[in-house]
């Protein structure tokens, strides 16, 4: 065995026992003791490089000392005072843990391996070899945090991919667990039966409750009527909204960051000058490195653009494929008509109105997205036998393209209302798109900044009598917006944009509630039932990782837990000398490897995951070490989850994964309001043999309960009585099943109209 510290051999000074500890998806650790009375002995210091290797050169540990050695005085020797030095080192992850991850937009629809490579390269460009990093599946989203160390975030990444990662000897690896299998067979001549300890706890579960995050729940439309005076309108519910955040902000004051932007510019048409992105020519694109999820509310400020001559190209384009016009879901079409005109391009074609530019003016281009679904892909959960979830989530999207014309010579134009070029709902919009700031055929313009913002998930529409409906823009007054949503919660209009008398207002959003799901394994319950026991074995867990963002995600999580709970739980440990390791003396067991235990005399034949490896070097000269292997299957110790005990106030009903609900009614709306009646359109034809159920409160859904029932209807449009100024209508659809299935989430139509 060789112990080298900063390439200096310290093997002669080492004292037993040297210990190396490996834990699954955690940094390796090493502890050893050196002793010397030599006055010339160089005492290692914190930060020194440590390499522990066998005589054949195989490296068991690589890392760095994390603290100054602990001194212990041993007495006076022939050459002077003798000391014992206790050393502690951490694996190569410490190089990255000491650095701060750069602030960046979340990774969207990226392979876990790609994310890990990006994180490593962001912190230490070119330092680590990433050739052994495998893709290991696609994650819908992965957020990085400035407050957490690299090794913690890499562990989360590996957990969500059901993989094991490691940094060792200057290289990074990521692979699905179980890629290597070690066999512990009691029939083997090298097996040590007295050091195999097994445990088979009875912890089967057949009634699983998964508790997730706060989710978007009911689809809500609040209806108000302006009186020409009121500036504030109280919302009926607190809107669900993810933390408002800046996904990306670029001021173009420094060179383009390749971690953020991808530039294709063979002719050199794009330059940075005077704090702006200058485009003079064509055949170039500048695209954002990550995809954008068209979920919830997005505000994309493509910058204040100044045109220097007639231009041709697309700015702020969202593409659902290659960067061609046909694949452009939305963007601003710049056309060379006289000077330049700004128009909208939607689903590959020109749409809406156009705006002629004026020399010397700046044009703030903004795209607003309001989606009926905040999350466009379900979370993925892994059990040891199956992958659950991961389905795409369809949604309609309201698309608004606006231009704010700013005259630098007239500061009042900063508060002018933006010109809306396009405002319409796109059905079944793509879930993920590429963002291309510049797609130039022949552009001549300067762009001052670009921002991508996660906005307030509220859509506001208004209709003045005898005029067409329009979208009211939410944001800051200096951005050309007309209103904002306060924490009350209330819809607050700015003074220049107060709704006029009889102007009809509609605020559309989602309410919020705790994501929750309960699954039963009927066969498992029956198998355990006795005369005195109904067979239920229940657990309730709050799912921390992977994040369960909706009740559908909780169903998938609960289903993955049930997958593993049907198995017999096994855990154990095995100790042996390095000469008699499973697989031979050259084997080096690593956390994440599979362990196949065959012990017929103990009734055991199972495969588990190696979680923990301890190596104690007993004989440095002879390369003899004692290995302790700890392992467990997912039934004993879930691998691809992080849980904590949840708090339940009400016991949820059990559901069948993917089969207990039919579609919601996000497009249900009120089409007519009188002093005595309300007409509702379900937004879709009713299910064959089913219909729409309307209640006076969000409870009691089902054919057998008429307590708070307002009516059941088999037509898409129907009329109900109106009794008060402020009234709520709760709507779900149901099918012809027995019993019928209902929508998962209610649509709430709230009226605050004078009688």
């Amino acid at each position: 065995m060789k112990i080298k510290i900063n390439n200096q051999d310290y093997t002669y000074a080492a004292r037993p026992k040297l210990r190396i500890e490996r834990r699954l998806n955690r940094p390796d650790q090493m502890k050893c003791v050196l002793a010397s009375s030599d006055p010339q002995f160089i005492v290692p210091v914190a930060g020194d490089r440590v390499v522990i290797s066998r005589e054949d050169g195989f490296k068991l540990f690589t890392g760095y000392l994390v603290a100054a050695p602990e001194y212990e005085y041993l007495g006076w020797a022939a050459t002077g005072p003798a000391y014992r030095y206790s050393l502690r080192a951490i694996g190569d992850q410490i190089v990255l843990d000491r650095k701060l991850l750069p602030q960046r937009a979340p990774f969207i629809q990226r392979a876990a391996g790609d994310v890990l490579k990006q994180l490593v390269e962001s912190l230490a460009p070119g330092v680590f070899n990433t050739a052994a990093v495998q893709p290991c599946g696609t994650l819908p989203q992965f957020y990085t945090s400035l407050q957490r160390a690299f090794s913690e975030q890499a562990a989360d990444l590996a957990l969500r991919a059901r993989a094991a990662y490691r940094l060792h000897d200057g290289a990074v690896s990521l692979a699905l667990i179980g890629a290597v299998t070690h066999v512990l067979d009691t029939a083997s001549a090298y097996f040590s039966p007295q050091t195999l300890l097994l445990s088979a706890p009875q912890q089967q579960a057949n009634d699983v409750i998964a508790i997730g995050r706060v989710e978007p729940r009911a689809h809500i439309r609040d209806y108000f009527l302006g009186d020409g005076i009121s500036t504030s309108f109280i919302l009926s519910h607190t809107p669900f909204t993810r933390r408002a955040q800046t996904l990306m902000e670029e001021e173009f004051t420094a060179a383009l960051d390749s971690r953020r932007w991808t530039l294709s510019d063979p002719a050199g048409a794009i330059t940075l000058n005077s704090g702006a992105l200058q485009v003079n020519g064509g055949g170039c694109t500048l695209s954002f490195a990550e995809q954008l999820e068209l979920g919830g509310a997005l505000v994309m400020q493509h910058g204040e653009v100044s045109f220097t001559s007639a231009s041709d190209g697309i700015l702020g384009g969202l593409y659902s494929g290659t960067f061609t016009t046909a694949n452009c879901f939305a963007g601003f079409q710049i056309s060379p008509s006289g000077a330049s005109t700004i128009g909208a391009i939607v689903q590959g074609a020109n749409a809406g109105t156009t705006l002629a530019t004026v020399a010397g003016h700046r044009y703030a281009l903004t795209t607003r997205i309001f989606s009926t679904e905040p999350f466009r892909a379900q979370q993925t959960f892994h059990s040891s036998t199956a992958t659950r979830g991961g389905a795409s989530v369809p949604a309609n999207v309201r698309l608004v393209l606006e231009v704010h014309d700013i005259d630098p010579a007239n500061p009042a134009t900063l508060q002018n209302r933006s010109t809306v070029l396009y405002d319409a709902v796109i059905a079944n919009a793509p879930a993920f798109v590429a963002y291309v700031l510049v797609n130039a055929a022949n552009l001549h313009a300067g762009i001052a900044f670009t921002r991508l913002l996660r906005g307030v998930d509220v859509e506001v529409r208004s209709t003045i009598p005898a005029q067409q409906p329009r979208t009211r823009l939410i944001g800051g007054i200096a951005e050309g917006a007309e209103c904002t949503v306060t924490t009350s919660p209330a819809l607050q209009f700015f003074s220049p944009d107060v709704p006029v008398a009889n102007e009809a207002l509609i605020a559309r959003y989602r309410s919020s509630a705790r994501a929750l799901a309960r699954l039963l394994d009927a066969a498992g319950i029956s198998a355990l039932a006795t005369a005195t026991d109904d067979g239920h074995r229940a657990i309730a867990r709050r799912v921390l990782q992977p994040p369960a963002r909706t009740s559908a995600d909780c169903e998938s999580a609960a289903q993955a837990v049930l997958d593993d709970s049907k198995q017999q739980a096994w855990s154990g440990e095995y100790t042996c000398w390095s000469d008699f390791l499973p697989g031979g003396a050259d084997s080096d067991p690593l956390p994440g490897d599979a362990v196949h235990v065959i012990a017929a005399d103990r009734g055991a034949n199972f495969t588990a995951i190696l979680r923990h490896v301890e190596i104690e070097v007993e004989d440095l000269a002879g390369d003899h070490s004692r290995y302790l292997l700890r392992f467990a299957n997912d039934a004993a110790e879930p691998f691809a989850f992080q849980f904590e005990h949840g708090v339940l106030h009400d016991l949820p009903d059990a559901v069948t994964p993917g089969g207990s609900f039919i579609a919601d009614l996000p497009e249900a709306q009120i089409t007519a309001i009188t002093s005595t009646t309300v007409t509702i359109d379900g937004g879709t034809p009713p299910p064959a043999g089913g219909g729409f159920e309307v209640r006076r409160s969000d409870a009691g859904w089902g054919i057998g309960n008429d307590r708070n029932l307002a009516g059941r209807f088999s037509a898409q449009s129907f009329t109900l009585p109106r009794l008060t100024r402020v009234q709520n209508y709760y709507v779900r659809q149901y099918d012809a099943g027995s019993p019928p299935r209902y929508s998962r989430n209610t649509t709430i139509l709230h009226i605050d109209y004078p009688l």
Side-chain angles (χ1 to χ4, degrees):
M1 196 73 67
K2 295 288 187 183
I3 302 174
K4 288 190 176 182
I5 302 177
N6 277 359
N7 286 322
Q8 182 175 344
D9 194 340
Y10 280 82
T11 310
Y12 72 94
R15 298 293 181 267
K17 300 176 181 178
L18 182 151
R19 174 174 292 186
I20 298 171
E21 186 175 8
R22 302 167 179 165
R23 291 185 181 273
L24 183 57
N25 292 330
R26 295 293 185 269
D28 293 349
Q29 297 191 35
M30 186 280 301
K31 294 180 181 179
C32 73
V33 173
L34 307 179
S36 178
S37 61
D38 184 352
Q40 303 302 316
F41 183 78
I42 299 175
V43 180
V45 298
D48 282 354
R49 175 76 168 167
V50 179
V51 177
I52 311 296
S53 59
R54 299 190 309 224
E55 289 294 336
D56 61 4
F58 184 87
K59 295 176 182 177
L60 293 173
F61 174 85
T62 63
Y64 297 85
L65 295 180
V66 292
E70 296 180 3
Y71 286 66
E72 181 182 351
Y73 179 64
L74 300 179
W76 193 267
T79 56
Y83 288 92
R84 179 185 286 122
Y85 309 94
S86 297
L87 308 182
R88 178 172 171 263
I90 300 293
D92 287 353
Q93 285 97 325
I94 195 171
V95 174
L96 304 179
D97 283 347
R98 289 169 169 169
K99 300 178 182 295
L100 190 66
L101 276 169
Q103 190 170 12
R104 57 161 298 130
F107 294 95
I108 302 294
Q109 288 294 103
R110 291 280 293 273
D114 290 343
V115 176
L116 184 61
K117 287 181 181 179
Q118 182 72 61
L119 295 181
V120 171
E121 287 299 313
S122 296
L123 295 174
V127 173
F128 290 94
N129 184 342
T130 59
V133 175
Q134 300 177 18
C136 296
T138 299
L139 307 181
Q141 284 184 338
F142 188 81
Y143 286 84
T144 58
S145 171
L146 299 176
Q147 299 173 324
R148 302 178 67 206
F150 162 83
S151 59
E152 296 178 28
Q153 301 187 66
D156 286 348
L157 183 67
L159 176 147
R160 292 177 59 176
R162 193 173 172 80
Y165 93 96
R166 192 177 186 225
L167 269 72
H168 176 73
D169 194 22
V172 188
S173 63
L174 179 75
L176 298 177
I177 62 168
V180 175
T181 300
H182 307 278
V183 179
L184 291 177
D185 190 345
T186 56
S188 171
Y190 299 107
F191 181 75
S192 175
Q194 68 272 22
T195 62
L196 176 65
L197 305 178
L198 296 179
S199 175
Q202 293 293 329
Q203 52 188 49
Q204 290 177 296
N206 50 39
D207 186 349
V208 177
I209 298 174
I211 306 166
R213 296 183 174 183
V214 173
E215 70 169 340
R217 185 66 65 84
H219 303 267
I220 300 174
R221 291 180 193 249
D222 289 347
Y223 294 80
F224 306 105
L225 197 63
D227 56 13
I229 301 173
S230 299
T231 61
S232 182
F233 299 84
I234 305 300
L235 300 178
S236 63
H237 294 73
T238 299
F240 169 84
T241 185
R242 285 173 283 182
R243 178 173 59 89
Q245 64 180 140
T246 301
L247 300 178
M248 184 272 288
E249 183 169 15
E250 180 67 78
E251 298 290 342
F252 301 115
T253 57
L256 293 173
D257 188 343
S258 60
R259 296 170 298 186
R260 176 178 289 180
W261 297 104
T262 300
L263 176 63
S264 175
D265 184 20
I270 295 179
T271 59
L272 296 179
N273 187 24
S274 302
L277 183 79
Q278 303 292 337
V279 186
N280 287 289
C284 57
T285 60
L286 181 63
S287 57
F288 188 49
E290 296 298 328
Q291 293 189 78
L292 296 181
E293 182 181 20
L294 298 188
L298 278 175
V299 180
M300 307 173 204
Q301 299 174 347
H302 313 298
E304 293 182 0
V305 183
S306 302
F307 296 97
T308 56
S309 64
S311 296
D312 184 10
I314 297 175
L315 294 177
L318 305 178
Y319 294 82
S320 57
T322 56
F323 304 159
T324 63
T325 300
N327 291 331
C328 186
F329 170 71
F332 291 88
Q333 178 72 65
I334 313 301
S335 302
S337 176
S340 295
T341 61
I342 305 174
I345 181 170
V346 179
Q347 294 184 304
N350 293 328
T353 61
T354 60
L355 177 70
T357 62
V358 177
H361 284 207
R362 303 195 306 268
Y363 297 90
L365 309 180
T366 303
T367 300
R368 297 177 186 265
I369 296 288
F370 303 95
S371 174
T372 55
E373 294 291 341
F375 306 112
R376 299 300 308 277
Q378 293 179 3
Q379 192 63 262
T380 300
F381 298 88
H382 299 279
S383 69
S384 60
T385 59
T387 297
R388 304 295 186 179
S392 61
V393 179
N396 297 339
V397 165
R398 177 167 293 280
L399 174 65
V400 180
L401 300 174
E402 61 180 272
V403 181
H404 188 188
D405 186 347
I406 302 171
D407 181 359
N410 182 7
T413 58
L414 289 170
Q415 298 188 28
N416 284 353
R417 182 184 300 168
S418 295
T419 300
V420 176
L421 303 182
Y422 184 85
D423 182 355
V425 173
I426 308 298
N428 294 317
F432 301 95
V433 294
Y435 173 60
V436 183
L437 175 61
V438 175
N439 191 349
N442 187 23
L443 277 172
H444 301 276
I447 302 175
F449 66 89
T450 298
R451 296 190 188 100
L452 304 179
L453 309 171
R454 176 68 62 193
V456 178
D457 292 324
V458 179
E459 173 193 336
V460 180
R461 303 268 291 168
S462 73
T463 306
I464 297 175
Q467 295 186 21
Q468 292 297 312
R470 66 186 181 92
T471 298
R472 293 294 204 121
L473 307 181
I474 299 176
I477 191 170
E479 299 168 349
E482 303 162 272
C483 57
T484 188
V485 176
T486 66
T487 56
S488 306
L491 186 61
Q492 182 72 45
F493 285 87
F494 302 130
S495 55
D497 301 291
V498 175
V500 301
N502 295 321
E503 182 174 356
L505 303 171
I506 304 174
R508 180 180 181 179
Y509 54 95
R510 301 284 295 269
S511 69
S512 59
R514 178 66 64 181
L516 197 65
R518 180 187 183 191
L519 266 62
L520 298 179
D521 174 17
I525 293 172
S526 298
L528 297 176
T530 66
T532 58
D533 185 352
D534 64 2
H536 276 79
R537 302 292 184 267
I539 58 172
R541 295 288 184 269
R542 183 181 178 190
V543 182
L544 299 182
Q545 287 287 352
R549 303 172 299 180
T550 65
S551 291
D553 285 348
C554 289
E555 284 184 19
S556 299
Q559 194 171 14
V561 172
L562 276 178
D563 288 342
D564 291 323
S565 296
K566 296 176 182 179
Q567 305 175 38
Q568 172 62 55
W570 285 100
S571 63
E573 63 180 49
Y574 179 68
T575 305
C576 68
W577 288 99
S578 53
D579 307 76
F580 304 107
L581 282 168
D586 292 333
S587 174
D588 187 40
L590 296 174
D593 291 350
V595 177
H596 185 192
V597 178
I598 305 172
D601 57 336
R602 310 188 197 189
N605 190 331
F606 65 92
T607 299
I609 304 167
L610 188 56
R611 313 294 178 115
H612 184 194
V613 177
E614 287 185 11
I615 306 171
E616 284 192 354
V617 181
E618 303 275 4
D619 179 7
L620 289 168
D623 265 355
H624 295 300
S625 304
R626 188 185 298 273
Y627 275 71
L628 171 63
L629 312 179
R630 292 194 175 100
F631 46 85
N633 65 7
D634 287 72
E637 185 180 336
F639 169 75
F641 285 97
Q642 284 183 6
F643 293 128
E644 69 177 8
H645 290 289
V647 177
L648 283 174
H649 299 288
D650 297 299
L651 187 65
D653 294 331
V655 298
T656 301
S660 290
F661 303 101
I662 59 174
D664 293 349
L665 295 171
E667 303 301 333
Q669 59 182 313
I670 293 175
T671 55
I673 303 174
T674 72
S675 60
T676 58
T677 63
V678 166
T679 301
I680 296 175
D681 187 310
T684 184
F692 301 110
E693 187 169 296
V694 184
R695 293 187 174 270
R696 292 185 291 273
S697 61
D698 194 5
W701 300 98
I703 297 297
N705 181 17
D706 291 345
R707 176 172 50 85
N708 61 341
L709 181 68
R712 295 187 182 94
F713 305 91
S714 57
Q716 180 171 332
S717 182
F718 47 90
T719 300
L720 289 160
R722 180 185 173 208
L723 305 177
T724 61
R725 174 191 172 103
V726 179
Q727 191 162 347
N728 289 334
Y729 299 88
Y730 301 84
V731 187
R732 291 191 188 187
Q733 65 174 336
Y734 60 93
D735 64 11
S738 180
R741 297 178 302 165
Y742 281 71
S743 307
R744 182 191 295 273
N745 298 307
T746 303
T747 296
I748 303 175
L749 305 175
H750 169 84
I751 297 174
D752 187 353
Y753 261 47
L755 290 170

